[in-house]
Amino acid sequence: MRATVSLWFLVFAGFACNYMIRINLNIAIVDMTTAKSRGQSILMCGNSTVSSNLTARKDFVVKKTDFEWNDSERASVLGSFYWLHWALQLPGGLLARQFGAKRIFGLSNLFMFVMSLLMPVLARWDIKGLIIARVLQGFIGGMAWPSVHHLTAHWVPPNKRSKFITAYFGSSIGVAITFPFCGFILERLGWSYVFYTTGVIGILWFLAWWLFVYDTPAQHPYISEVELVQITSSLTNVVSTTKLPIPWKAVLTCVPFWIALSIQWSTGWALHTLMTQTPTYLVLMFGWNPEKIGLWSGLPHLTRFAFSLCLSFAIDSLMATGQYSRTCVRKISTTICTVVQALLIVAIVYSGCDTILVNGFLLLAMTVSGASTSGPLSIMVDLSPNFASVLQGFSGITGVIPGMISPFVLSYFTNDNNTLEAWQHFFALSGVLIAIPGLLYIFIGSSELQPWNSPIPAVDPESPFTNGNATVKK
């Protein structure tokens, strides 16, 4: 097996496990506590209020739960992962440059896995213990994403970047599997085993990662000579073999960089809104049991991954023709995962109580977010492969802030009174926040290699205007 192929699978599995830990609480909380309206369990579709232990509807089950948390406490539990998740995004990129992505990505994930095993004990001890554990998970886990960008920049030829970055959407498969898998566990074993099972799976991944991953192709003991030459020759003019000083002033005054950050905010808000709030919304709307909620919360992430693969191949093919600039193709993908997704997210909540429409728009909204791999997730590496991990550090900080504040914004609208109108206001605001950065990128964004990527003139092998032979003007 080619070394880059095995690396793709391990990165893919790593992100799957990362998101398995990140969102296991989102489905477990359905069984841990019940969302209420003015102190009573409610079903928004049908205008019914449930005070008994079980209702007459076959798929609507309201159980006595272990914890009685109000909306504010639920928001704290769900959002706490992101409170400090931003703090180590930039240091994570810098540490990856110093110690290698293998160590940073691997060990930060391992910490999250071990903490997952402690969650049930801490939750039963005190809600504050659970929140502190989630904060620590998010804090240490913040190093994961930016560190992998460093790995990508040193392993992947520019014209294959979009395809390789689909490995990042192992996160989608992780979510697609975790929601129904954990729903199954909830129904049969209880919420505690959600944390135990996902933690053990993550530790098993770490063992494989530590044994088979290397920071650069040159360090890999089993890579073929042909593959090594292909990779290193394609990166010679773009990625430096020595550590360069970070051009902080150039980075912080770069307009394309700031526009790219706004895109990360947009996609971050969309992802966290759908991923964190969907299980609660479905149980409030239709009263489904955890297993059914898990299935319908997870399925869209599977279609998201499939769409990302198809679009990434199409985008790389367009770039290979030499007829489209890198910025042009990135704008296609970015428009899909911002403007189009914003419209679909708003459509979810304005579909009322129509089960088919709600789940159809949910499926489409998450599916089109798959355009992120060939759009926003590729832009930082496009702008500067040499400093991709540093740029992704800034990007990560921006992208996780929505996950931190989104639950509290929703709590403000609902205020312990979960009505359809309150949720409509929240989703309408979300649509605006998601669409505006996408429109900005369409008009003034860029994904071309920046002059400050290298202290000497560099060839941009992806530029259709140089055809790989001319020099980028400084």
Side-chain angles (χ1 to χ4, degrees):
M1 180 184 291
R2 289 168 59 90
T4 48
V5 175
S6 62
L7 179 64
W8 185 94
F9 278 107
L10 285 167
V11 170
F12 177 89
F15 277 116
C17 291
N18 179 282
Y19 265 72
M20 187 176 289
I21 297 299
R22 187 180 299 217
I23 60 97
N24 56 11
L25 180 61
N26 296 358
I27 183 69
I29 200 170
V30 172
D31 205 45
M32 295 168 72
T33 186
T34 304
K36 298 180 183 295
S37 183
R38 301 301 186 216
Q40 294 179 305
S41 302
I42 56 97
L43 178 62
M44 291 193 296
C45 288
N47 298 320
S48 61
T49 301
V50 182
S51 56
S52 60
N53 194 33
L54 295 176
T55 69
R57 273 182 52 178
K58 182 178 179 180
D59 61 348
F60 181 20
V61 180
V62 177
K63 299 186 245 181
K64 289 182 178 179
T65 54
D66 290 352
F67 310 104
E68 292 291 331
W69 296 334
N70 59 36
D71 276 1
S72 178
E73 289 171 326
R74 285 171 61 89
S76 295
V77 170
L78 289 171
S80 55
F81 180 92
Y82 301 99
W83 290 355
L84 292 179
H85 191 55
W86 56 271
L88 291 184
Q89 295 281 332
L90 182 56
L94 297 173
L95 289 170
R97 298 181 80 227
Q98 182 67 33
F99 300 106
K102 173 180 178 176
R103 292 186 180 90
I104 304 304
F105 186 69
L107 294 175
S108 62
N109 275 332
L110 178 63
F111 179 85
M112 293 174 63
F113 305 149
V114 172
M115 288 300 297
S116 180
L117 301 178
L118 303 177
M119 291 291 180
V121 174
L122 294 171
R124 290 190 173 94
W125 172 59
D126 194 290
I127 188 175
K128 293 178 182 177
L130 176 62
I131 290 174
I132 290 172
R134 287 291 285 178
V135 170
L136 289 174
Q137 272 189 324
F139 178 65
I140 301 299
M143 294 186 285
W145 276 84
S147 65
V148 175
H149 258 40
H150 183 74
L151 198 71
T152 300
H154 286 79
W155 268 92
V156 185
N159 63 349
K160 297 181 179 179
R161 200 171 288 150
S162 293
K163 288 192 285 288
F164 183 84
I165 290 179
T166 58
Y168 293 20
F169 267 26
S171 58
S172 286
I173 298 301
V175 176
I177 294 173
T178 301
F179 275 132
F181 177 59
C182 290
F184 177 85
I185 293 174
L186 284 175
E187 284 290 290
R188 288 156 180 79
L189 300 175
W191 62 266
S192 297
Y193 287 89
V194 167
F195 298 103
Y196 297 144
T197 306
T198 52
V200 169
I201 291 173
I203 291 172
L204 293 176
W205 166 84
F206 171 78
L207 295 176
W209 174 268
W210 202 254
L211 289 173
F212 301 116
V213 169
Y214 298 86
D215 286 307
T216 65
Q219 295 175 355
H220 201 296
Y222 308 115
I223 190 172
S224 69
E225 188 67 28
V226 173
E227 186 178 9
L228 179 61
V229 171
Q230 286 177 343
I231 296 172
T232 53
S233 62
S234 67
L235 297 175
T236 299
N237 296 314
V238 178
V239 178
S240 174
T241 56
T242 60
K243 293 178 181 177
L244 300 172
I246 301 171
W248 291 109
K249 182 179 179 181
V251 171
L252 296 176
T253 56
C254 179
V255 174
F257 169 64
W258 286 103
I259 297 297
L261 284 185
S262 73
I263 296 296
Q264 298 302 321
W265 165 275
S266 171
T267 55
W269 188 280
L271 178 62
H272 294 304
T273 295
L274 291 174
M275 191 170 62
T276 304
Q277 311 303 346
T278 293
T280 299
Y281 182 70
L282 291 177
V283 76
L284 286 172
M285 285 293 288
F286 308 118
W288 290 345
N289 60 41
E291 195 167 358
K292 191 170 184 179
I293 292 170
L295 176 62
W296 280 102
S297 298
L299 180 61
H301 293 271
L302 189 62
T303 58
R304 178 190 191 220
F305 175 71
F307 181 70
S308 75
L309 281 177
C310 296
L311 187 62
S312 294
F313 276 94
I315 290 297
D316 281 350
S317 298
L318 285 176
M319 291 178 63
T321 65
Q323 298 178 18
Y324 301 90
S325 70
R326 193 181 333 176
T327 297
C328 177
V329 296
R330 298 293 183 233
K331 285 183 177 181
I332 294 172
S333 296
T334 300
T335 301
I336 294 172
C337 66
T338 55
V339 179
V340 175
Q341 188 180 23
L343 296 173
L344 292 169
I345 284 176
V346 173
I348 293 172
V349 78
Y350 282 94
S351 297
C353 296
D354 190 313
T355 308
I356 296 176
L357 285 180
V358 169
N359 286 286
F361 283 125
L362 173 61
L363 185 70
L364 289 173
M366 186 56 76
T367 297
V368 298
S369 72
S372 294
T373 54
S374 51
L377 287 177
S378 296
I379 293 173
M380 293 303 181
V381 185
D382 290 338
L383 295 177
S384 177
N386 279 326
F387 306 108
S389 61
V390 177
L391 301 189
Q392 183 57 31
F394 283 105
S395 175
I397 293 173
T398 306
V400 301
I401 292 176
M404 179 173 58
I405 66 175
S406 174
F408 290 100
V409 175
L410 174 62
S411 177
Y412 169 80
F413 282 113
T414 59
N415 192 26
D416 284 330
N417 185 28
N418 282 282
T419 64
L420 183 57
E421 183 181 9
W423 280 81
Q424 286 175 339
H425 291 159
F426 171 71
F427 274 78
L429 174 63
S430 297
V432 173
L433 294 175
I434 294 164
I436 289 177
L439 295 173
L440 280 175
Y441 183 75
I442 291 171
F443 290 107
I444 58 177
S446 173
S447 292
E448 304 306 321
L449 186 69
Q450 296 300 295
W452 41 266
N453 177 67
S454 175
I456 59 174
V459 174
D460 182 354
E462 290 178 73
S463 174
F465 306 108
T466 62
N467 198 30
N469 298 316
T471 303
V472 175
K473 293 182 180 180
K474 301 292 180 181

Short mmCIF file of all heavy atoms in Angstrom, two decimals, residues 382-434:
data_model
loop_
_atom_site.label_atom_id
_atom_site.label_comp_id
_atom_site.label_asym_id
_atom_site.label_seq_id
_atom_site.Cartn_x
_atom_site.Cartn_y
_atom_site.Cartn_z
N ASP A 382 -3.55 26.53 0.68
CA ASP A 382 -3.34 27.22 -0.59
C ASP A 382 -2.55 28.51 -0.40
O ASP A 382 -1.61 28.80 -1.14
CB ASP A 382 -4.68 27.58 -1.24
CG ASP A 382 -5.44 26.37 -1.75
OD1 ASP A 382 -4.80 25.33 -1.99
OD2 ASP A 382 -6.67 26.46 -1.91
N LEU A 383 -2.94 29.28 0.60
CA LEU A 383 -2.32 30.59 0.81
C LEU A 383 -0.85 30.46 1.19
O LEU A 383 -0.02 31.26 0.75
CB LEU A 383 -3.07 31.36 1.91
CG LEU A 383 -4.52 31.76 1.61
CD1 LEU A 383 -5.13 32.44 2.82
CD2 LEU A 383 -4.59 32.67 0.39
N SER A 384 -0.53 29.47 2.03
CA SER A 384 0.86 29.32 2.47
C SER A 384 1.12 27.92 3.01
O SER A 384 0.93 27.66 4.20
CB SER A 384 1.17 30.36 3.56
OG SER A 384 2.49 30.18 4.04
N PRO A 385 1.59 27.01 2.16
CA PRO A 385 1.90 25.66 2.64
C PRO A 385 2.96 25.65 3.74
O PRO A 385 2.91 24.81 4.64
CB PRO A 385 2.43 24.95 1.37
CG PRO A 385 1.80 25.71 0.25
CD PRO A 385 1.74 27.13 0.70
N ASN A 386 3.93 26.58 3.67
CA ASN A 386 4.99 26.60 4.68
C ASN A 386 4.47 26.93 6.07
O ASN A 386 5.04 26.50 7.08
CB ASN A 386 6.07 27.63 4.30
CG ASN A 386 7.04 27.08 3.28
OD1 ASN A 386 7.35 25.89 3.29
ND2 ASN A 386 7.52 27.93 2.39
N PHE A 387 3.41 27.71 6.13
CA PHE A 387 2.87 28.14 7.42
C PHE A 387 1.43 27.68 7.61
O PHE A 387 0.66 28.30 8.33
CB PHE A 387 2.97 29.67 7.54
CG PHE A 387 4.36 30.19 7.31
CD1 PHE A 387 4.68 30.88 6.14
CD2 PHE A 387 5.37 29.96 8.23
CE1 PHE A 387 5.96 31.34 5.91
CE2 PHE A 387 6.66 30.42 8.01
CZ PHE A 387 6.96 31.11 6.85
N ALA A 388 1.09 26.58 6.95
CA ALA A 388 -0.30 26.10 6.98
C ALA A 388 -0.77 25.79 8.40
O ALA A 388 -1.91 26.09 8.76
CB ALA A 388 -0.43 24.86 6.10
N SER A 389 0.11 25.19 9.21
CA SER A 389 -0.31 24.83 10.57
C SER A 389 -0.55 26.08 11.42
O SER A 389 -1.43 26.09 12.28
CB SER A 389 0.74 23.94 11.25
OG SER A 389 1.99 24.61 11.35
N VAL A 390 0.22 27.14 11.15
CA VAL A 390 0.04 28.39 11.89
C VAL A 390 -1.28 29.05 11.48
O VAL A 390 -2.07 29.49 12.33
CB VAL A 390 1.21 29.35 11.65
CG1 VAL A 390 0.98 30.67 12.36
CG2 VAL A 390 2.52 28.71 12.10
N LEU A 391 -1.52 29.11 10.17
CA LEU A 391 -2.77 29.69 9.68
C LEU A 391 -3.98 28.90 10.18
O LEU A 391 -5.01 29.47 10.53
CB LEU A 391 -2.78 29.74 8.15
CG LEU A 391 -1.68 30.54 7.45
CD1 LEU A 391 -1.98 30.66 5.97
CD2 LEU A 391 -1.52 31.91 8.07
N GLN A 392 -3.83 27.57 10.20
CA GLN A 392 -4.93 26.74 10.68
C GLN A 392 -5.16 26.94 12.17
O GLN A 392 -6.26 26.76 12.67
CB GLN A 392 -4.66 25.27 10.38
CG GLN A 392 -5.77 24.32 10.78
CD GLN A 392 -7.11 24.68 10.15
OE1 GLN A 392 -7.15 25.20 9.03
NE2 GLN A 392 -8.20 24.40 10.85
N GLY A 393 -4.10 27.34 12.89
CA GLY A 393 -4.27 27.66 14.30
C GLY A 393 -5.23 28.83 14.48
O GLY A 393 -6.16 28.78 15.28
N PHE A 394 -5.01 29.90 13.69
CA PHE A 394 -5.93 31.04 13.71
C PHE A 394 -7.32 30.60 13.25
O PHE A 394 -8.34 31.01 13.82
CB PHE A 394 -5.41 32.15 12.78
CG PHE A 394 -4.28 32.95 13.35
CD1 PHE A 394 -2.98 32.76 12.90
CD2 PHE A 394 -4.51 33.90 14.34
CE1 PHE A 394 -1.93 33.51 13.42
CE2 PHE A 394 -3.47 34.65 14.86
CZ PHE A 394 -2.17 34.46 14.41
N SER A 395 -7.33 29.79 12.21
CA SER A 395 -8.60 29.30 11.65
C SER A 395 -9.37 28.49 12.68
O SER A 395 -10.59 28.62 12.83
CB SER A 395 -8.32 28.46 10.41
OG SER A 395 -9.50 27.88 9.92
N GLY A 396 -8.64 27.66 13.41
CA GLY A 396 -9.29 26.83 14.42
C GLY A 396 -9.90 27.65 15.54
O GLY A 396 -10.99 27.35 16.03
N ILE A 397 -9.19 28.70 15.96
CA ILE A 397 -9.72 29.59 17.00
C ILE A 397 -11.04 30.18 16.54
O ILE A 397 -12.03 30.21 17.28
CB ILE A 397 -8.71 30.71 17.32
CG1 ILE A 397 -7.46 30.13 17.98
CG2 ILE A 397 -9.35 31.77 18.21
CD1 ILE A 397 -6.35 31.14 18.18
N THR A 398 -11.05 30.66 15.29
CA THR A 398 -12.26 31.29 14.75
C THR A 398 -13.39 30.28 14.59
O THR A 398 -14.55 30.58 14.89
CB THR A 398 -11.95 31.93 13.38
OG1 THR A 398 -10.84 32.81 13.51
CG2 THR A 398 -13.14 32.69 12.86
N GLY A 399 -13.05 29.08 14.14
CA GLY A 399 -14.07 28.08 13.85
C GLY A 399 -14.74 27.48 15.06
O GLY A 399 -15.88 26.99 14.96
N VAL A 400 -14.05 27.48 16.22
CA VAL A 400 -14.65 26.85 17.40
C VAL A 400 -15.45 27.82 18.25
O VAL A 400 -16.24 27.39 19.10
CB VAL A 400 -13.57 26.17 18.28
CG1 VAL A 400 -12.82 25.13 17.51
CG2 VAL A 400 -12.63 27.20 18.89
N ILE A 401 -15.27 29.11 18.05
CA ILE A 401 -16.03 30.09 18.84
C ILE A 401 -17.53 29.88 18.69
O ILE A 401 -18.27 29.95 19.69
CB ILE A 401 -15.61 31.53 18.48
CG1 ILE A 401 -14.18 31.79 18.95
CG2 ILE A 401 -16.56 32.54 19.10
CD1 ILE A 401 -13.63 33.14 18.55
N PRO A 402 -18.04 29.61 17.48
CA PRO A 402 -19.49 29.34 17.37
C PRO A 402 -19.95 28.18 18.22
O PRO A 402 -21.05 28.21 18.78
CB PRO A 402 -19.67 29.03 15.87
CG PRO A 402 -18.58 29.78 15.20
CD PRO A 402 -17.41 29.68 16.15
N GLY A 403 -19.12 27.14 18.33
CA GLY A 403 -19.49 26.00 19.17
C GLY A 403 -19.61 26.38 20.63
O GLY A 403 -20.36 25.77 21.39
N MET A 404 -18.84 27.40 21.03
CA MET A 404 -18.85 27.86 22.40
C MET A 404 -20.08 28.70 22.71
O MET A 404 -20.68 28.57 23.79
CB MET A 404 -17.58 28.67 22.67
CG MET A 404 -17.44 29.25 24.06
SD MET A 404 -15.83 30.00 24.33
CE MET A 404 -15.78 31.25 23.03
N ILE A 405 -20.49 29.54 21.76
CA ILE A 405 -21.58 30.48 22.07
C ILE A 405 -22.94 30.05 21.53
O ILE A 405 -23.97 30.53 22.00
CB ILE A 405 -21.24 31.89 21.55
CG1 ILE A 405 -21.18 31.90 20.01
CG2 ILE A 405 -19.94 32.39 22.13
CD1 ILE A 405 -20.96 33.30 19.45
N SER A 406 -22.95 29.15 20.54
CA SER A 406 -24.22 28.75 19.93
C SER A 406 -25.23 28.21 20.94
O SER A 406 -26.41 28.60 20.92
CB SER A 406 -23.96 27.70 18.83
OG SER A 406 -25.16 27.19 18.31
N PRO A 407 -24.83 27.33 21.89
CA PRO A 407 -25.82 26.84 22.86
C PRO A 407 -26.41 27.95 23.72
O PRO A 407 -27.58 27.90 24.09
CB PRO A 407 -25.00 25.84 23.71
CG PRO A 407 -23.89 25.41 22.82
CD PRO A 407 -23.54 26.62 22.02
N PHE A 408 -25.61 28.97 24.03
CA PHE A 408 -26.11 30.06 24.86
C PHE A 408 -27.03 31.00 24.07
O PHE A 408 -27.98 31.56 24.63
CB PHE A 408 -24.93 30.84 25.46
CG PHE A 408 -24.19 30.07 26.51
CD1 PHE A 408 -22.99 29.44 26.20
CD2 PHE A 408 -24.70 29.93 27.79
CE1 PHE A 408 -22.30 28.71 27.16
CE2 PHE A 408 -24.03 29.20 28.77
CZ PHE A 408 -22.83 28.59 28.45
N VAL A 409 -26.75 31.17 22.77
CA VAL A 409 -27.65 31.95 21.93
C VAL A 409 -29.00 31.26 21.85
O VAL A 409 -30.06 31.89 21.96
CB VAL A 409 -27.05 32.15 20.52
CG1 VAL A 409 -28.04 32.86 19.61
CG2 VAL A 409 -25.75 32.94 20.59
N LEU A 410 -28.98 29.93 21.67
CA LEU A 410 -30.23 29.18 21.65
C LEU A 410 -30.95 29.29 22.99
O LEU A 410 -32.17 29.48 23.04
CB LEU A 410 -29.96 27.71 21.32
CG LEU A 410 -31.16 26.77 21.41
CD1 LEU A 410 -32.24 27.18 20.40
CD2 LEU A 410 -30.74 25.33 21.17
N SER A 411 -30.20 29.19 24.07
CA SER A 411 -30.79 29.30 25.41
C SER A 411 -31.45 30.66 25.61
O SER A 411 -32.49 30.78 26.26
CB SER A 411 -29.71 29.08 26.47
OG SER A 411 -30.24 29.23 27.78
N TYR A 412 -30.86 31.70 25.02
CA TYR A 412 -31.43 33.04 25.12
C TYR A 412 -32.80 33.08 24.43
O TYR A 412 -33.75 33.67 24.96
CB TYR A 412 -30.49 34.06 24.48
CG TYR A 412 -31.11 35.43 24.28
CD1 TYR A 412 -31.22 36.33 25.34
CD2 TYR A 412 -31.59 35.81 23.03
CE1 TYR A 412 -31.80 37.57 25.16
CE2 TYR A 412 -32.18 37.06 22.84
CZ TYR A 412 -32.28 37.94 23.91
OH TYR A 412 -32.86 39.18 23.73
N PHE A 413 -32.90 32.45 23.26
CA PHE A 413 -34.17 32.46 22.53
C PHE A 413 -35.24 31.60 23.21
O PHE A 413 -36.41 31.96 23.25
CB PHE A 413 -33.96 31.99 21.09
CG PHE A 413 -33.36 33.04 20.19
CD1 PHE A 413 -32.08 32.88 19.67
CD2 PHE A 413 -34.07 34.18 19.85
CE1 PHE A 413 -31.53 33.85 18.84
CE2 PHE A 413 -33.53 35.15 19.02
CZ PHE A 413 -32.25 34.98 18.52
N THR A 414 -34.82 30.44 23.73
CA THR A 414 -35.81 29.53 24.33
C THR A 414 -36.15 29.94 25.76
O THR A 414 -37.31 29.91 26.15
CB THR A 414 -35.30 28.08 24.32
OG1 THR A 414 -34.06 28.00 25.05
CG2 THR A 414 -35.07 27.60 22.90
N ASN A 415 -35.13 30.27 26.55
CA ASN A 415 -35.34 30.74 27.93
C ASN A 415 -36.26 29.79 28.70
O ASN A 415 -37.26 30.20 29.31
CB ASN A 415 -35.92 32.16 27.93
CG ASN A 415 -35.90 32.80 29.32
OD1 ASN A 415 -35.07 32.45 30.15
ND2 ASN A 415 -36.81 33.72 29.55
N ASP A 416 -35.91 28.50 28.67
CA ASP A 416 -36.71 27.46 29.33
C ASP A 416 -38.13 27.39 28.79
O ASP A 416 -39.05 26.94 29.48
CB ASP A 416 -36.74 27.66 30.85
CG ASP A 416 -35.44 27.23 31.51
OD1 ASP A 416 -34.79 26.32 30.98
OD2 ASP A 416 -35.08 27.82 32.53
N ASN A 417 -38.32 27.85 27.57
CA ASN A 417 -39.65 27.80 26.95
C ASN A 417 -39.48 27.38 25.49
O ASN A 417 -39.49 28.20 24.58
CB ASN A 417 -40.34 29.17 27.04
CG ASN A 417 -41.77 29.12 26.51
OD1 ASN A 417 -42.42 28.08 26.56
ND2 ASN A 417 -42.24 30.23 25.99
N ASN A 418 -39.27 26.09 25.29
CA ASN A 418 -38.96 25.55 23.96
C ASN A 418 -40.20 25.55 23.07
O ASN A 418 -41.01 24.62 23.11
CB ASN A 418 -38.39 24.14 24.08
CG ASN A 418 -36.94 24.13 24.51
OD1 ASN A 418 -36.04 24.39 23.70
ND2 ASN A 418 -36.70 23.88 25.79
N THR A 419 -40.32 26.59 22.26
CA THR A 419 -41.41 26.67 21.30
C THR A 419 -40.83 26.68 19.89
O THR A 419 -39.65 27.00 19.68
CB THR A 419 -42.22 27.96 21.51
OG1 THR A 419 -41.37 29.10 21.24
CG2 THR A 419 -42.76 28.05 22.92
N LEU A 420 -41.66 26.36 18.92
CA LEU A 420 -41.22 26.35 17.53
C LEU A 420 -40.79 27.75 17.10
O LEU A 420 -39.79 27.90 16.38
CB LEU A 420 -42.36 25.85 16.63
CG LEU A 420 -42.03 25.72 15.13
CD1 LEU A 420 -40.84 24.80 14.91
CD2 LEU A 420 -43.25 25.22 14.37
N GLU A 421 -41.49 28.76 17.57
CA GLU A 421 -41.14 30.13 17.20
C GLU A 421 -39.75 30.51 17.72
O GLU A 421 -38.97 31.16 17.01
CB GLU A 421 -42.18 31.10 17.78
CG GLU A 421 -41.93 32.55 17.37
CD GLU A 421 -42.96 33.50 17.96
OE1 GLU A 421 -43.75 33.06 18.82
OE2 GLU A 421 -42.98 34.69 17.57
N ALA A 422 -39.42 30.10 18.92
CA ALA A 422 -38.10 30.40 19.49
C ALA A 422 -37.00 29.74 18.67
O ALA A 422 -35.96 30.36 18.38
CB ALA A 422 -38.04 29.92 20.95
N TRP A 423 -37.22 28.50 18.27
CA TRP A 423 -36.23 27.81 17.45
C TRP A 423 -36.13 28.44 16.06
O TRP A 423 -35.05 28.48 15.46
CB TRP A 423 -36.60 26.33 17.34
CG TRP A 423 -36.17 25.54 18.55
CD1 TRP A 423 -36.82 25.45 19.74
CD2 TRP A 423 -34.98 24.74 18.68
NE1 TRP A 423 -36.12 24.64 20.61
CE2 TRP A 423 -34.99 24.19 19.99
CE3 TRP A 423 -33.92 24.44 17.84
CZ2 TRP A 423 -33.98 23.36 20.46
CZ3 TRP A 423 -32.91 23.59 18.30
CH2 TRP A 423 -32.94 23.07 19.60
N GLN A 424 -37.22 28.94 15.52
CA GLN A 424 -37.19 29.60 14.21
C GLN A 424 -36.34 30.86 14.27
O GLN A 424 -35.57 31.13 13.33
CB GLN A 424 -38.62 29.94 13.76
CG GLN A 424 -39.42 28.74 13.30
CD GLN A 424 -40.86 29.08 12.98
OE1 GLN A 424 -41.39 30.08 13.44
NE2 GLN A 424 -41.52 28.23 12.19
N HIS A 425 -36.44 31.62 15.33
CA HIS A 425 -35.62 32.82 15.48
C HIS A 425 -34.14 32.45 15.52
O HIS A 425 -33.30 33.13 14.90
CB HIS A 425 -36.00 33.57 16.75
CG HIS A 425 -37.36 34.19 16.69
ND1 HIS A 425 -38.08 34.54 17.82
CD2 HIS A 425 -38.16 34.51 15.63
CE1 HIS A 425 -39.25 35.06 17.46
NE2 HIS A 425 -39.32 35.04 16.14
N PHE A 426 -33.82 31.39 16.25
CA PHE A 426 -32.42 30.96 16.35
C PHE A 426 -31.87 30.51 14.99
O PHE A 426 -30.76 30.90 14.61
CB PHE A 426 -32.31 29.82 17.37
CG PHE A 426 -30.95 29.16 17.39
CD1 PHE A 426 -29.85 29.83 17.90
CD2 PHE A 426 -30.77 27.88 16.88
CE1 PHE A 426 -28.59 29.23 17.91
CE2 PHE A 426 -29.53 27.26 16.89
CZ PHE A 426 -28.44 27.95 17.41
N PHE A 427 -32.63 29.71 14.26
CA PHE A 427 -32.17 29.22 12.97
C PHE A 427 -32.10 30.33 11.92
O PHE A 427 -31.23 30.31 11.05
CB PHE A 427 -33.06 28.08 12.48
CG PHE A 427 -32.66 26.72 12.99
CD1 PHE A 427 -32.97 26.33 14.28
CD2 PHE A 427 -31.95 25.85 12.20
CE1 PHE A 427 -32.59 25.09 14.77
CE2 PHE A 427 -31.57 24.59 12.67
CZ PHE A 427 -31.88 24.22 13.96
N ALA A 428 -32.99 31.31 12.00
CA ALA A 428 -32.95 32.44 11.07
C ALA A 428 -31.67 33.25 11.28
O ALA A 428 -30.99 33.63 10.32
CB ALA A 428 -34.18 33.32 11.25
N LEU A 429 -31.34 33.51 12.54
CA LEU A 429 -30.09 34.20 12.85
C LEU A 429 -28.89 33.40 12.35
O LEU A 429 -27.93 33.95 11.79
CB LEU A 429 -29.98 34.43 14.36
CG LEU A 429 -28.65 35.02 14.85
CD1 LEU A 429 -28.44 36.42 14.28
CD2 LEU A 429 -28.62 35.07 16.38
N SER A 430 -28.94 32.09 12.54
CA SER A 430 -27.85 31.22 12.07
C SER A 430 -27.66 31.33 10.57
O SER A 430 -26.53 31.40 10.08
CB SER A 430 -28.15 29.76 12.45
OG SER A 430 -28.21 29.60 13.85
N GLY A 431 -28.76 31.38 9.82
CA GLY A 431 -28.66 31.51 8.38
C GLY A 431 -27.93 32.76 7.95
O GLY A 431 -27.09 32.74 7.04
N VAL A 432 -28.20 33.87 8.62
CA VAL A 432 -27.54 35.14 8.31
C VAL A 432 -26.05 35.06 8.62
O VAL A 432 -25.20 35.47 7.81
CB VAL A 432 -28.19 36.30 9.10
CG1 VAL A 432 -27.38 37.59 8.92
CG2 VAL A 432 -29.63 36.51 8.66
N LEU A 433 -25.71 34.52 9.78
CA LEU A 433 -24.31 34.43 10.19
C LEU A 433 -23.50 33.51 9.27
O LEU A 433 -22.29 33.70 9.10
CB LEU A 433 -24.23 33.91 11.63
CG LEU A 433 -24.79 34.84 12.71
CD1 LEU A 433 -24.76 34.16 14.07
CD2 LEU A 433 -24.00 36.14 12.75
N ILE A 434 -24.15 32.52 8.69
CA ILE A 434 -23.47 31.58 7.81
C ILE A 434 -23.29 32.15 6.41
O ILE A 434 -22.25 31.98 5.77
CB ILE A 434 -24.25 30.25 7.74
CG1 ILE A 434 -24.23 29.56 9.11
CG2 ILE A 434 -23.66 29.31 6.68
CD1 ILE A 434 -25.28 28.47 9.25
#
